[in-house]
Amino acid sequence: MSNQIDDRDDDLSTNVVEPDENEWKRLIDDMKYVRALEYVLQNAPVRAKDPDKKKKAASMALSTMMKIKTSEISDAVNSIPVPLRDTLMKYVYKGFENPKDYSSSALLTWHEKVLAATGLGSIVRVLTDRRTV
Amino acid sequence: MTQPVPPRTSAHKPYLDAIRATLQAAFCIENFESQVVERHNKPEVEVKSSKQLLLNPVVISRNQNEQILIEGSVNSVRISIAVKQADDLEKILCKRLMRFMMQRADDFHILRRKPIPGYDISFLITNFHAETMYKHRLVDFIIYFLEEIDKEISEMKLAVSSRARMCAEEFLKKFN
């Protein structure tokens, strides 16, 4: 029994959004890691139904997060605009699902810093939002 | 007032903090009767009768061997824990300890009789438990459980090896 309101996407223009790999690579090569992370979060495929698209975007986001040094994480979180911090938290939890590929201790630091910036609300939104990452 | 849970500083504080925050967020549960069968009240996280009633399941991992799965729903939360088992002896001890507890799940109230596949032990906390017990104390308990399990298993491992050493000593004294 599906809820028809959930199926109807109200913002059709952002339906086929996904981060462009070349653009992302360019930002990574320029060492602009925070800017690269912001780019991936901005274009995260939250409304996409294709799991491969999501996996690709997740690997981009998480590898960027791993590249940012532990001491720079809180500055990075503060420079990410507020609406994107929920998506950032979604990617943190996504990263926890693959402890082999992504360092759990770094992810725990990210979790702590994002929580400090956003509060429990971001976790509630991770748990309830249908637009999963 | 009941005895407060003693605070312990462990090296894994970020892990426990992340779990505490996630549990506090997931613990918004209230009474919700079954929409499928009249006069029935079932924990939706177990029955999964409707997608609208379930929250996204979330994993928090400390490393490859230790992780915790938190599945929420409108009237219940299921928490599954994968305990660190470094070698065969720890595996056996962990299995025995968990089985001991799970056989007495009725008295435990919040324990599930069978763990979710892939994990060692599972808790099922329903709105009825949250009505009779404080939510923040339930969260404290889960965190305390996580801290203590590792300590208990290593203590048992030491006890096993010291007992084995003493037995061997006594036995070999005969041949001295």
Side-chain angles (χ1 to χ4, degrees), chain A residues 1-3 6 93 95-97 99-100 104-105 108 111-112 115 120 123-130 132, chain B residues 14-15 17-18 21-22 24-26 35 50-64 67 70:
Chain A
M1 180 169 64
S2 66
N3 193 344
D6 279 334
Y93 279 109
F96 278 131
E97 289 171 24
K100 283 197 202 102
S104 293
S105 50
L108 284 169
H111 187 280
E112 191 191 324
L115 189 62
L120 275 181
I123 305 187
V124 177
R125 267 164 258 142
V126 170
L127 292 170
T128 53
D129 201 349
R130 289 264 166 249
T132 54
Chain B
Y15 177 56
D17 285 340
T22 317
Q24 280 175 335
Q35 297 178 301
S50 169
K51 208 165 175 293
Q52 303 156 299
L53 305 172
L54 303 174
L55 298 182
N56 301 325
V58 133
V59 171
I60 303 174
S61 53
R62 187 196 274 174
N63 49 49
Q64 270 176 269
Q67 58 183 30
I70 299 174

Side-chain angles (χ1 to χ4, degrees), chain B residues 92-131:
Chain B
I92 297 174
L93 288 171
C94 177
K95 189 155 171 274
R96 291 287 183 94
L97 179 62
M98 297 307 161
R99 228 166 55 104
F100 175 85
M101 286 194 280
M102 287 191 278
Q103 278 176 334
R104 292 150 181 81
D106 282 343
D107 293 322
F108 227 108
H109 296 293
I110 56 174
L111 199 60
R112 196 173 185 267
R113 276 196 175 266
K114 288 266 180 268
I116 301 303
Y119 296 87
D120 298 309
I121 194 166
S122 296
F123 292 92
L124 175 66
I125 303 180
T126 61
N127 57 296
F128 300 110
H129 299 139
E131 281 165 21

Side-chain angles (χ1 to χ4, degrees), chain A residues 22-77:
Chain A
N22 302 319
E23 173 73 25
W24 172 71
K25 234 176 245 174
R26 212 164 41 80
L27 287 163
I28 292 282
D29 292 332
D30 283 342
M31 302 264 279
K32 296 205 193 87
Y33 297 131
V34 182
R35 181 73 196 86
L37 184 58
E38 209 178 307
Y39 175 70
V40 179
L41 292 178
Q42 185 93 31
N43 299 319
V46 282
R47 290 186 186 275
K49 304 236 168 71
D50 184 13
D52 289 327
K53 234 186 248 185
K54 293 194 188 235
K55 218 188 284 186
K56 210 166 59 136
S59 65
M60 276 192 246
L62 284 163
S63 51
T64 320
M65 281 159 71
M66 292 296 116
K67 288 202 171 65
I68 299 180
K69 282 199 273 277
T70 319
S71 46
E72 296 167 12
I73 289 181
S74 38
D75 292 327
V77 171

